[in-house]
Amino acid sequence: MVTTAANRAIEQQTADSHDPEKNNFSDSRNDGERRVDNGERRADDSNRRDNNDPRHTKQPRQNNQPRRDKRDVHGWVILDKPIGMTSTHAVAILKRLFQAKRAGHAGTLDPLASGGLPIALGEATKTVPFVMDGRKRYRFTVAWGEERDTDDTEGRVTQRSELRPSADAIRALLPQFTGLIEQIPPQYSAIKVQGERAYDLARDGETVELKPRPVEIHELTLVEHVDNGQSVFEAECGKGTYVRALARDIGRILGCFGHICALRRTLVGPFRETDMIPLEELEALCNRAASGEGSLADALLPVETALDDIPALAVTRADAARLHRGQAVLLRGRDAPNSSGTVYVTVAGRLLALAEIGNGELIPKRVFNLTGLTASPGRSNERV
């Protein structure tokens, strides 16, 4: 066996807390994100289906068009999500473009925000937790002088001030918001309070006391301070951070109040801004592929791209057959790894499984079946 170290140290991961199918309709508003279906949820609640209403009966397919068969597609698409689109809608569009059987996203992005929305197709959904637990980077603009109940432009104004901060005052404050800090989530967040989502209680006019939570801000920088009462920041943060709360808290300490008025995500786990593909480009590629002039595989990144922080372990075909059946493999010989923890296993350069090393054994946890459409061979080399 040959062990290949990944870019960074081993990090234990668990998949149980992140169901990739649920991520299609994620309510989380973490990491500077907002609930994906603000308007949609209200419309659903107020317009219950009437079984006798012909508008809600199944309509025949127009022009007798055949239903397109779904297919096995495996890989990641890093959509450069446009402003105004929900993450749920984005997943639905890509699922249709690729005719994919399964799809999910790795972290909701605010409809008012643009930038990286990693969408997992097929077997890539098994690697969603590794992306969700990774670092995220945002570029965001804070408008000073108003605090809003949603901490962004959608909410109503709750406090005003004529004060405007100087660039020096802002920079002097940023070290207080760097490192491991305690942060109170926004009122409009997905955190549960006695079984109810905080945003549902807030919509009903209730004020909830949310407890501070530890979050880690790896970097927070003032990029630009303009004369119109706005400041541009960049932040790199860990899981669970609310960028909206950063704007709120900085504004309160400065005494001028503030809220997010622009937000773009530029990094999600291993996926960078250079990996992002605009929706228009994807649709154009889909049209070319339909006419035989290209392949949607060119838009896919390999499933294992999400596993950059995990060591890779190459095994023989005989050991691969055992792992594929869910059986453990004994690690013996001089090439046996000395480490323990999570690895991703390959055979002949192809992803086979996620496994745990312990007590001299390699125990499979997630086995991959990559039969179907996968990333073009050149996509892996493009990111090196």
Side-chain angles (χ1 to χ4, degrees), residues 24 40 77 79-82 85-97 103-105 109 117 119 121 279 282:
N24 278 325
E40 298 164 3
V77 177
L79 179 67
D80 191 342
K81 190 190 77 66
M85 178 180 290
T86 67
S87 299
T88 300
H89 189 198
V91 171
I93 290 175
L94 261 70
K95 192 174 181 181
R96 173 179 56 80
L97 287 176
H105 63 71
L109 188 60
L117 180 66
I119 297 178
L121 300 174
L279 182 57
L282 277 172

Side-chain angles (χ1 to χ4, degrees), residues 24 61 65-73 77 79 85 87-104 119-122 279-287 289-290 296 300 373:
N24 278 325
R61 187 170 295 275
Q65 293 178 354
R67 184 183 297 276
R68 294 203 299 177
D69 292 333
K70 297 295 180 66
R71 60 182 175 176
D72 291 313
V73 183
V77 177
L79 179 67
M85 178 180 290
S87 299
T88 300
H89 189 198
V91 171
I93 290 175
L94 261 70
K95 192 174 181 181
R96 173 179 56 80
L97 287 176
F98 283 84
Q99 302 173 48
K101 291 181 179 178
R102 287 188 296 157
I119 297 178
L121 300 174
L279 182 57
E280 296 81 1
E281 187 175 327
L282 277 172
E283 290 173 335
L285 179 58
C286 180
N287 292 332
L296 281 174
L300 292 172
L373 179 67

